Amino acid sequence: MSRDIYADAARRHAHALPGHTLLAAEPCYIPASVLTVDVLAEEVEDLDKAQKYALAALLNGIYTVEDLELFMGLTPEDTATTVAGLLRSEFVDYRPPAPGQPRVLSLLPNGLEAARDARVRRPKSTTIQVVYDRLTGGVTSWRRNSLVRSGTARKSQFIVLPQKGGVDVERADLTVTAISDAIHGYARSDFKILGVTGVTESRNFYRDAILLVYRDIDSSSVRLGIEIDGQWSEEHLAALEDVDAVDKLGISSTEGVSYEPADEPGPRLSRDEVIAIQTALNDADTAPQADDDRLDRTAIRWLSMADHPAWLDDALTGPKRRLLIISPWITGSVVTRQFVGRLEQLARSADVTIFWGFGDNAKTDRHALQSLHDAAGRSSRLAVVRVDDTHAKILVSDSYYVKTSFNWLSFRGDSNRKFRQEEGDLVSDQVLADRAYDRYMRENCGLALEIVGTLPERYRTYVNPASSTTGPPPSSPDAMSPPRQSRAERKREALKSLSVGEVVSGTVKTITNFGAFVDLGEVDGLVHISQLADRRVDHPSDVVSVGDAVTVLVQDVDLDRERVSLSLRAVPQ
């Protein structure tokens, strides 16, 4: 499994819909409500010790109050209190006796059951909270703390899915079975719901998920799927079609941009061959044993859109010598704080070079570019190079390279929601990868307009003499040499670069009674004690320690108060 949950989802479900090809895996929010449900429940309680011993005595042939008093060693007052409790619970009968007969206690059916297991079952009215999925129209097992508010969802870059309808949830919509199933994982095993008596709905909540966008291979029609907590949801697949989500969300498919296949010698696997192998491998029962490593053994093979994010993820972790990325645009949905941190970590031991630029660069995110420039300014082996109108989309690692139509640094978060079929070629050959690296480095250094950071020494002589080379990073795609930012300005920029729902890495800086502060670089974020684990936490130090490296999810960014709310427990596994 990679660090990119969307890449993992794309690979898992690339062939989930027969006759369709996967175009994208995007973060999304499912509309939800929190229901406060009034229920009649049966609750099992432990018996009072005195009542437990009294019932045991009755079960063993002690029937009079006097004998019970002697057996238990109680005062007459305590014995009377115990008997009164048994009478109130309808465990015993103490009716006046027949003439000439002593007055005795007799066990009733409820008392007999309680005497045998030393426990009592009582019906009681109570309230419980469950989460209602407003897309499928059903109660879920989601926990309240897995939801975000409407404001948070709307401010994020996630796709917010439509709901099934605007009608309030009513008591008739809820069944005992649905409510019982929803609380099964965390309710006590001795708590049994007998009936639903009322419901109050609180709307405007959202649950995060992964939206999978598919295109029919014979047309441009689009279908949508959902992965929740790593699982494909047939229920949500049907619900999305019922609400006509494709049209409501404005999602469309455009023709894929044709790419030039890698012009290299050697055996290769075509598109149809790769799809056939991957489809077979998804079915472990029918997959031929020989197919298990065939994809890895072939020097040149076709890559689907679903394969690309995983290779990008591998390139951020695996190289020991080099990484080259060529991408026309840069967006904040891909170049996140975590992404930049991984690049900077890689650049401690390998040469990392990014070539980017197309036209007026309007599609490039200024804050994402600034983050790359900041990292390049701090590193001695990372360079971010702007060129003029690059159409190439290339990734070169130590022992392989990818030539593709896939936009490596802007493939996610398109606000226009127009998705296209991307494809490319993976060349897994050391010699060919070396040649490709040298060729693309020479060509693009000669086209450089601006260089931020440090290029590998052997390629500096190929740099266009008209290009600008700067140590301090520019603050926008076309700026050349701005003044150095103050700490307050850097903090402000760091806050703006954070996105709600983004997974970032940091170090535990301080621990307090109410949570842990995590150092994210230019800004700190708070993980409240309630967001540290899925269990009760008495003190944050029970979960984390100062200096721990942690991966957290951004829950809220308050620019006015300069505060960041984080969650450790909500990080997707």
Side-chain angles (χ1 to χ4, degrees):
M1 180 177 289
S2 71
R3 300 191 191 188
D4 188 333
I5 60 173
Y6 307 104
D8 291 333
R11 298 184 78 174
R12 279 193 293 266
H13 309 300
H15 309 292
L17 297 181
H20 291 73
T21 184
L22 181 65
L23 300 182
E26 295 280 321
C28 71
Y29 276 127
I30 300 171
S33 295
V34 174
L35 305 182
T36 302
V37 185
D38 302 318
V39 298
L40 181 66
E42 180 182 78
E43 191 169 50
V44 180
E45 300 174 354
D46 289 332
L47 280 172
D48 174 81
K49 286 185 178 180
Q51 292 185 15
K52 180 172 69 174
Y53 288 123
L55 290 172
L58 292 170
L59 198 61
N60 287 279
I62 297 176
Y63 300 118
T64 68
V65 172
E66 293 76 11
D67 289 344
L68 191 63
E69 180 181 324
L70 291 172
F71 175 79
M72 298 180 64
L74 298 176
T75 65
E77 292 79 9
D78 289 340
T79 303
T81 299
T82 300
V83 171
L86 295 175
L87 289 168
R88 284 194 299 272
S89 299
E90 298 184 352
F91 290 159
V92 298
D93 189 9
Y94 195 42
R95 296 179 183 178
Q101 297 295 321
R103 189 171 187 177
V104 297
L105 294 162
S106 60
L107 282 171
L108 296 174
N110 286 345
L112 184 62
E113 181 181 358
R116 286 172 176 168
D117 62 12
R119 307 182 87 184
V120 56
R121 291 172 171 80
R122 293 192 178 94
K124 61 180 292 187
S125 296
T126 187
T127 60
I128 58 176
Q129 279 196 340
V130 295
V131 177
Y132 186 82
D133 184 338
R134 293 204 61 87
L135 174 57
T136 60
V139 177
T140 74
S141 59
W142 303 339
R143 302 295 292 271
R144 164 65 181 81
N145 55 25
S146 70
L147 307 180
V148 300
R149 290 281 190 177
S150 175
T152 300
R154 301 293 176 185
K155 288 189 297 183
S156 74
Q157 296 180 337
F158 286 29
I159 296 174
V160 178
L161 302 180
Q163 60 183 6
K164 186 175 183 179
V167 180
D168 291 338
V169 178
E170 299 181 353
R171 182 170 64 87
D173 299 325
L174 306 176
T175 65
V176 169
T177 300
I179 300 297
S180 300
D181 290 345
I183 65 173
H184 175 72
Y186 59 90
R188 299 199 315 268
S189 60
D190 54 11
F191 184 85
K192 180 180 179 181
I193 296 176
L194 304 176
V196 178
T197 58
V199 60
T200 303
E201 181 179 13
S202 178
R203 293 199 189 186
N204 298 322
F205 289 91
Y206 290 87
R207 173 65 154 82
D208 66 290
I210 298 176
L211 182 69
L212 298 146
V213 183
Y214 297 87
R215 172 180 170 154
D216 190 298
I217 58 176
D218 296 322
S219 69
S220 61
S221 63
V222 173
R223 293 184 69 187
L224 303 176
I226 291 283
E227 181 190 277
I228 305 174
D229 296 332
Q231 299 297 317
W232 173 267
S233 173
E234 287 289 340
E235 185 180 16
H236 285 86
L237 171 69
L240 288 166
E241 295 183 351
D242 287 343
V243 301
D244 199 15
V246 171
D247 287 342
K248 287 184 177 178
L249 294 171
I251 293 176
S252 61
S253 169
T254 60
E255 293 295 332
V257 175
S258 60
Y259 77 105
E260 294 181 9
D263 185 18
E264 303 287 5
R268 67 176 65 212
L269 288 175
S270 68
R271 178 182 186 277
D272 291 342
E273 290 173 315
V274 171
I275 290 176
I277 292 172
Q278 289 179 334
T279 303
L281 289 175
N282 284 342
D283 188 345
D285 296 329
T286 62
Q289 186 66 35
D291 280 345
D292 243 358
D293 61 347
R294 187 178 173 195
L295 293 177
D296 295 331
R297 289 187 289 104
T298 304
I300 306 171
R301 73 172 178 93
W302 176 83
L303 282 186
S304 70
M305 173 268 149
D307 294 320
H308 284 78
W311 284 101
L312 175 61
D313 184 80
D314 176 81
L316 294 174
T317 307
K320 304 297 182 185
R321 298 185 295 121
R322 68 189 179 207
L323 172 62
L324 166 63
I325 299 175
I326 305 177
S327 180
W329 304 285
I330 297 169
T331 65
S333 297
V334 178
V335 182
T336 62
R337 188 178 186 87
Q338 182 187 33
F339 181 98
V340 174
R342 295 178 67 188
L343 269 185
E344 197 168 358
Q345 177 72 24
L346 178 63
R348 294 179 182 177
S349 58
D351 292 324
V352 179
T353 309
I354 294 173
F355 292 104
W356 72 279
F358 191 86
D360 61 2
N361 299 312
K363 291 177 65 175
T364 286
D365 185 291
R366 182 172 65 89
H367 299 300
L369 180 62
Q370 178 68 53
S371 297
L372 286 175
H373 283 168
D374 288 343
R378 293 188 295 264
S379 173
S380 62
R381 300 186 71 175
L382 171 59
V384 180
V385 183
R386 178 164 60 92
V387 297
D388 187 22
D389 288 358
T390 178
H391 292 273
K393 288 107 176 181
I394 303 294
L395 183 145
V396 186
S397 186
D398 283 351
S399 59
Y400 64 84
Y401 81 93
V402 180
K403 185 177 183 182
T404 179
S405 64
F406 183 82
N407 290 300
W408 293 107
L409 302 182
S410 62
F411 65 89
R412 185 179 294 142
D414 184 358
S415 59
N416 294 323
R417 297 179 182 174
K418 291 183 178 180
F419 301 96
R420 68 184 188 187
Q421 182 176 337
E422 309 284 13
E423 54 188 345
D425 279 350
L426 169 67
V427 181
S428 300
D429 181 276
Q430 181 70 66
V431 174
L432 298 180
D434 289 345
R435 290 178 184 173
Y437 180 79
D438 187 63
R439 180 173 71 253
Y440 289 119
M441 285 294 294
R442 290 170 183 250
E443 289 177 358
N444 286 275
C445 282
L447 301 173
L449 299 178
E450 176 192 58
I451 302 170
V452 177
T454 308
L455 283 168
E457 185 174 358
R458 63 174 295 190
Y459 294 104
R460 295 172 194 170
T461 57
Y462 298 99
V463 171
N464 177 9
S467 65
S468 67
T469 303
T470 177
S475 59
S476 69
D478 297 314
M480 301 302 287
S481 54
R484 187 178 296 273
Q485 289 181 308
S486 66
R487 189 177 187 282
E489 289 172 329
R490 294 198 306 272
K491 181 177 182 180
R492 189 72 176 174
E493 290 296 326
L495 285 166
K496 289 180 179 179
S497 70
L498 292 173
S499 300
V500 172
E502 178 184 357
V503 176
V504 297
S505 299
T507 304
V508 177
K509 184 177 181 180
T510 309
I511 293 178
T512 69
N513 290 331
F514 55 83
F517 286 92
V518 176
D519 182 0
L520 301 177
E522 297 292 346
V523 66
D524 295 342
L526 171 65
V527 182
H528 189 267
I529 189 171
S530 64
Q531 294 299 318
L532 284 169
D534 283 326
R535 56 180 172 80
R536 176 182 172 80
V537 177
D538 294 324
H539 193 272
S541 60
D542 295 338
V543 180
V544 295
S545 302
V546 173
D548 282 355
V550 293
T551 300
V552 290
L553 182 136
V554 179
Q555 288 193 317
D556 189 42
V557 180
D558 190 331
L559 293 177
D560 294 333
R561 301 169 70 187
E562 296 188 339
R563 293 183 179 179
V564 180
S565 298
L566 306 171
S567 174
L568 191 61
R569 65 186 296 177
V571 175
Q573 300 299 317

